[in-house]
């Protein structure tokens, strides 16, 4: 089969759900039987998102192969249910770095290295490399049409289109139609401008997805039809969703978007889509039978209300996936841990919640408040889920309050503690530069048979599923791990200090999983206390999808429901 590409661009403004729309189109094409992948282009100069603060671009997503990436790759994985490698995120910084390195090596054999053709060529090579094993590749171009920094990428896709033929390309423009409150009328003008800007780059949209608060009416559909010179069947209405982003592919399919795109690509469906399980789960999310409140205790002061959800997108989604299994709605309250430092009595408010999460984090800000919240969860037997820093601080709490190590701490916060129960990993000590230097990506983990966490991974089929991936792992990821293994992704510099494990175990903490490195050192990956206090050094929120919730989130939500 000839290679097919779908290029997704955005008009008018960012933040209208281009990533989710791209992921939804991918999911639809997958349902029609095509091997589909997606590439995200970020026109910034950063090499990756690892050094970006989450308030800039939302959460930093981690790929199994250790990339720190734009959050859209997370949406692709969640919708497509497949791993997307780091190479599927292309930034301007990567392109220029690669070209300059080639130039320094002398690879250009005396040529003058120029914007055209070298930059588009490098972009094209990367797109082709990522699309190698797939029938259809979606290419989402970040930013908005008209941005200067988009230009080289538009050039590159245009040039690919010439090489592969127009019949193998579909251009999707995602635009936004505002309804200004003072006139209360949906305006198409910004969309017309976006279409014009796109055509100036020689790209003519085949499909226009019209994001708006309301559905598109016929008058406006026709206006866009005339302006863009495409049949109005290809002007798709994409109004705000009621509740769940997972309803988006279903909504697109109501307008037969999948078949329309396949037609443009000269493809026939390879199978009849089966949306039954997906629909069932979306219905559970949209019409839940019950609702429970849970608290996520973190440091939020400098984040602000608007970016909060984006900064913790994967945790939100992983909770949604788990809750959908139980037809339960989770009312998530984001609690700033510093409140418990300033007003110690307010810790009692946590009684209202059916479960408490402490997510990943860095630095000392709000740490004592988080430790207080963990203590409250443990003592009052409120289900607890600790993610990365949430495991490390759970160990600090337990060491201080159960094992009598009064000033126990992580050396990330206190260098002078007598009980450094969490300490920097030896190989991290000499690292100075920040980008891409943490312990990143998937690592194999040996779970303790019979532990609560082992049982959860077994119940949700992850041991069987992860086994299939083991053959393709590099030796670092696998280490010396053998037997029933699972894989979770990581992003940290500190670890449980092995010197204290015995003492913690003696006092009742169960270490339910570890990774063993090639050199024989063991890194603790999971802990549990009793039935409903679970924590992990990894980020299980990065391996959860609607159809396959992550076992830890599943176990946590189940415990919260009680
Ligand atoms: N700051 C901790 C570390 O680097 C935890 C990191 C995290 O929560 N992602 O180990």
């Amino acid at each position: 089969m000839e290679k097919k590409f779908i290029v997704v661009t955005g008009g008018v403004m960012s933040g209208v759900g281009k990533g989710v729309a791209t992921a939804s189109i991918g999911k639809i094409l997958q349902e029609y039987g095509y091997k589909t992948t997606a590439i995200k282009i970020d026109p910034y100069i950063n090499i990756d998102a690892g050094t970006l603060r989450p308030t800039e671009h939302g959460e930093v997503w981690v790929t199994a192969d250790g990339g720190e990436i734009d959050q859209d790759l997370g949406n692709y994985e969640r919708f497509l249910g497949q791993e997307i490698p780091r190479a599927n995120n292309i930034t301007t910084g990567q392109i220029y770095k690669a070209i300059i390195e080639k130039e320094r090596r002398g690879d250009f054999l005396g040529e003058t290295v120029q914007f055209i053709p070298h930059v588009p060529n490098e972009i094209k090579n990367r797109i082709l490399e990522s699309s190698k094993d797939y029938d259809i590749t979606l290419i989402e171009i970040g930013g908005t049409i008209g941005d200067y920094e988009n230009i080289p990428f538009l050039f590159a896709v245009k040039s690919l289109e010439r090489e592969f033929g127009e019949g193998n390309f579909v251009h999707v423009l995602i635009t936004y139609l505002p309804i200004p409150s003072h006139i209360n009328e949906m305006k198409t003008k910004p969309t017309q401008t976006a279409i014009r800007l796109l055509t100036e780059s020689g790209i003519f949209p085949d499909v226009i997805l019209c994001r708006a608060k309301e559905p598109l009416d016929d008058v406006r559909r026709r206006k866009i039809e005339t302006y863009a010179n495409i049949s109005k069947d290809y002007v798709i209405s994409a109004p705000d969703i009621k509740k769940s982003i997972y309803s988006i592919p279903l909504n697109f399919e109501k307008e037969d978007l999948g078949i329309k795109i396949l037609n443009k690509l000269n493809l026939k469906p390879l199978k009849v889509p089966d949306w039954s399980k997906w629909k069932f789960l979306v219905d559970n999310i949209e019409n839940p039978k019950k609702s429970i409140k849970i608290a996520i205790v973190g440091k939020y002061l400098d984040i602000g209300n608007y970016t909060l959800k984006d900064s913790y997108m994967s945790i939100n989604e992983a909770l949604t996936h788990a809750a959908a299994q139980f037809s339960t709605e989770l009312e998530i309250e984001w609690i700033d841990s510093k409140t418990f430092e300033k007003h110690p009595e307010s810790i009692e408010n946590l009684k209202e919640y059916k479960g408490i999460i402490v997510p990943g984090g860095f630095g000392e800000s709000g740490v004592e408040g988080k430790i207080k919240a963990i203590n409250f969860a443990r003592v009052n037997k409120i289900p607890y889920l600790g993610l990365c820093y949430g495991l490390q601080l759970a160990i600090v709490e337990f060491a201080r309050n159960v094992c009598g190590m009064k000033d126990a701490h992580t050396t990330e916060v206190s260098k002078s503690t007598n009980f450094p129960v969490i300490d920097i990993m030896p190989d991290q000590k000499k690292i100075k530069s920040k980008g891409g230097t943490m312990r990143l990506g998937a690592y194999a983990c040996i779970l303790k048979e019979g532990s609560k966490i082992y049982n959860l991974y077994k119940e949700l089929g992850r041991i069987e599923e992860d086994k299939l991936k083991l053959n393709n792992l590099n030796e670092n990821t696998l280490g010396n791990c053998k037997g029933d293994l699972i894989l979770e992704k990581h992003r940290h510099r500190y670890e449980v200090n092995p010197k204290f494990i015995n003492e913690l175990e003696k006092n009742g903490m169960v270490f339910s999983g570890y990774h063993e490195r090639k050199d024989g050192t063991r890194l603790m990956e999971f802990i549990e206390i009793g039935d409903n206090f679970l924590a992990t050094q990894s980020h299980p929120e990065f391996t959860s999808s609607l159809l396959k919730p992550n076992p830890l989130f599943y176990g946590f939500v189940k415990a919260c429901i009680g």
Side-chain angles (χ1 to χ4, degrees):
M1 174 186 147
E2 276 182 300
K3 247 182 204 329
K4 308 282 178 180
F5 298 91
I6 298 171
V7 180
V8 182
T9 45
V12 182
M13 61 185 195
S14 64
V16 296
K18 198 153 35 104
V20 174
T22 306
S24 298
I25 296 172
K27 172 73 194 163
I28 292 171
L29 297 170
Q30 217 184 34
E31 276 302 315
Y32 282 106
Y34 285 96
K35 274 191 83 183
T36 306
T37 189
I39 297 173
K40 173 73 194 291
I41 288 176
D42 282 307
Y44 45 63
I45 295 176
N46 302 59
I47 295 291
D48 58 36
T51 55
L52 285 169
R53 101 176 60 87
T55 41
E56 288 274 316
H57 276 268
E59 152 192 286
V60 178
W61 169 263
V62 180
T63 59
D65 59 356
E68 298 176 284
I69 309 285
D70 178 273
Q71 59 182 10
D72 281 323
L73 252 73
N75 282 322
Y76 303 166
E77 285 203 11
R78 284 188 278 269
F79 277 73
L80 295 174
Q82 77 200 24
E83 263 166 28
I84 305 281
R86 68 196 295 180
N88 287 30
N89 181 234
I90 305 175
T91 72
T92 299
Q94 291 169 18
I95 298 297
Y96 277 92
K97 184 167 182 269
I99 294 174
I100 292 168
E101 280 168 2
K102 281 184 193 163
E103 187 274 334
R104 291 290 80 186
R105 280 200 305 267
D107 291 1
F108 293 109
L109 305 174
E111 271 177 68
T112 310
V113 183
Q114 287 177 299
F115 175 70
I116 307 250
H118 296 101
V119 171
N121 279 352
E122 182 68 30
I123 298 169
K124 277 160 57 185
N125 290 342
R126 286 183 181 228
I127 292 176
L128 291 177
E129 182 60 29
S130 289
S131 66
K132 212 168 52 203
D133 301 322
Y134 293 90
D135 304 326
I136 305 177
T137 303
L138 287 130
I139 307 165
E140 178 191 347
I141 303 187
T144 310
I145 275 309
D147 294 348
Y148 294 122
E149 39 187 30
N150 271 333
I151 293 169
F153 299 101
L154 296 174
F155 233 97
V157 293
K158 198 59 210 158
S159 155
L160 272 180
E161 182 173 1
R162 191 169 26 75
E163 275 172 40
F164 284 78
E166 281 181 20
N168 295 321
F169 265 75
V170 164
H171 290 281
V172 178
L173 173 66
I174 302 185
T175 172
Y176 191 75
L177 292 95
I179 308 175
S181 56
H182 60 290
I183 46 172
N184 205 20
E185 182 197 324
M186 187 186 281
K187 302 303 277 178
T188 61
K189 185 66 75 189
T191 296
Q192 296 177 23
T193 308
I195 296 168
R196 202 191 63 230
L197 286 170
L198 191 61
T199 52
E200 278 172 10
S201 304
I203 292 175
F204 297 88
D206 299 293
V207 177
I208 301 181
L209 290 180
C210 298
R211 289 278 301 110
K213 196 157 174 267
E214 306 289 336
L216 194 65
D217 62 9
D218 206 48
V219 175
R220 277 151 196 87
R221 214 184 270 258
R222 281 189 188 284
K223 233 180 185 173
I224 297 170
E225 170 181 53
T226 317
Y227 200 91
N229 200 23
I230 61 174
S231 147
K232 74 177 174 44
D233 293 345
Y234 288 84
V235 180
I236 308 286
S237 172
D240 287 353
I241 34 135
K242 266 202 302 211
K243 216 164 181 179
S244 168
I245 53 170
Y246 302 102
S247 65
I248 293 173
L250 303 174
N251 292 345
F252 284 171
E253 275 303 75
K254 283 185 197 143
E255 299 212 29
D256 290 325
L257 182 61
I259 291 292
K260 288 174 184 173
I261 291 179
L262 289 181
N263 281 345
K264 289 257 170 208
L265 293 170
N266 295 316
L267 296 175
K268 299 254 172 305
L270 297 179
K271 70 176 186 69
V272 181
D274 176 8
W275 291 102
S276 50
K277 195 169 165 201
W278 190 277
K279 267 192 184 141
F280 168 77
L281 293 168
V282 170
D283 189 54
N284 281 358
I285 298 173
E286 294 191 333
N287 308 296
K289 296 202 176 56
K290 48 183 174 289
S291 175
I292 58 169
K293 274 169 74 167
I294 68 155
I296 305 189
V297 181
K299 73 164 187 198
Y300 304 132
L301 276 189
D302 40 356
I303 290 182
N305 290 341
Y306 290 104
T307 41
L308 198 56
K309 267 201 168 159
D310 255 15
S311 307
Y312 292 95
M313 181 186 270
S314 295
I315 297 179
N316 240 322
E317 293 306 317
L319 285 168
T320 303
H321 303 151
Q325 300 286 327
F326 302 101
S327 193
T328 296
E329 176 174 45
L330 299 180
E331 274 178 69
I332 301 174
E333 190 101 26
W334 308 84
I335 300 179
D336 188 341
S337 58
K338 283 197 186 133
T339 327
F340 304 135
E341 297 171 7
K342 285 188 216 130
H343 312 285
E345 70 295 345
S346 65
I347 197 82
E348 290 293 323
N349 297 345
L350 286 176
K351 277 225 163 81
E352 277 176 48
Y353 301 94
K354 297 279 185 239
I356 297 172
I357 293 181
V358 171
F362 295 85
E364 68 175 316
S365 164
V367 154
E368 289 303 324
K370 292 183 196 177
I371 294 173
K372 280 191 203 318
I374 295 169
N375 174 264
F376 193 85
R378 184 179 58 75
V379 171
N380 294 291
K381 297 201 161 28
I382 300 173
Y384 173 75
L385 179 59
L387 305 169
C388 204
Y389 217 15
L391 168 136
Q392 298 177 353
L393 298 177
I395 296 215
V396 170
E397 190 281 323
F398 193 82
R400 285 185 190 175
N401 300 318
V402 179
C403 309
M405 306 179 199
K406 282 288 165 265
D407 74 334
H409 224 319
T410 160
T411 54
E412 182 170 356
V413 178
S414 163
K415 299 266 179 287
S416 59
T417 169
N418 291 307
F419 304 101
V421 287
I422 305 295
D423 199 8
I424 191 150
M425 287 179 269
D427 52 345
Q428 285 282 333
K429 277 196 180 132
K430 43 190 184 301
I431 293 174
K432 291 270 176 315
S433 101
K434 293 270 189 281
T437 55
M438 282 188 244
R439 178 175 180 242
L440 290 167
Y443 284 95
C445 170
I446 303 171
L447 291 178
K448 189 187 192 109
E449 246 179 87
S451 66
K452 173 92 188 169
I453 290 174
Y454 177 91
N455 291 340
L456 282 169
Y457 275 85
K458 183 125 196 130
E459 182 186 342
L460 294 211
R462 273 289 295 275
I463 293 177
E464 290 307 308
E465 195 185 313
D466 290 4
K467 199 175 269 166
L468 303 175
K469 299 182 185 160
L470 296 179
N471 284 338
N472 305 326
L473 295 184
N474 69 35
E475 51 166 22
N476 240 349
T477 308
L478 192 57
N480 290 338
C481 303
K482 284 191 196 75
D484 279 356
L485 305 179
I486 57 107
L487 293 158
E488 287 294 358
K489 300 176 186 174
H490 298 75
R491 187 171 189 250
H492 65 123
R493 295 190 200 279
Y494 292 79
E495 62 159 330
V496 180
N497 188 338
K499 286 189 204 128
F500 293 93
I501 293 174
N502 261 341
E503 192 60 21
L504 292 160
E505 267 179 337
K506 253 197 271 161
N507 283 282
M509 177 172 277
V510 175
F511 286 85
S512 26
Y514 63 88
H515 169 80
E516 187 171 311
R517 289 190 160 163
K518 274 265 159 243
D519 64 9
T521 49
R522 289 181 177 185
L523 296 170
M524 293 304 123
E525 296 281 9
F526 292 96
I527 60 163
E528 56 192 73
I529 307 168
D531 266 350
N532 55 18
F533 189 105
L534 310 173
T536 174
Q537 184 59 76
S538 69
H539 286 279
E541 66 272 26
F542 294 143
T543 59
S544 180
S545 62
L546 182 63
L547 297 177
K548 287 186 188 147
N550 176 279
L552 280 193
F553 282 87
Y554 177 91
F556 171 70
V557 170
K558 194 172 177 185
C560 295
I561 296 169

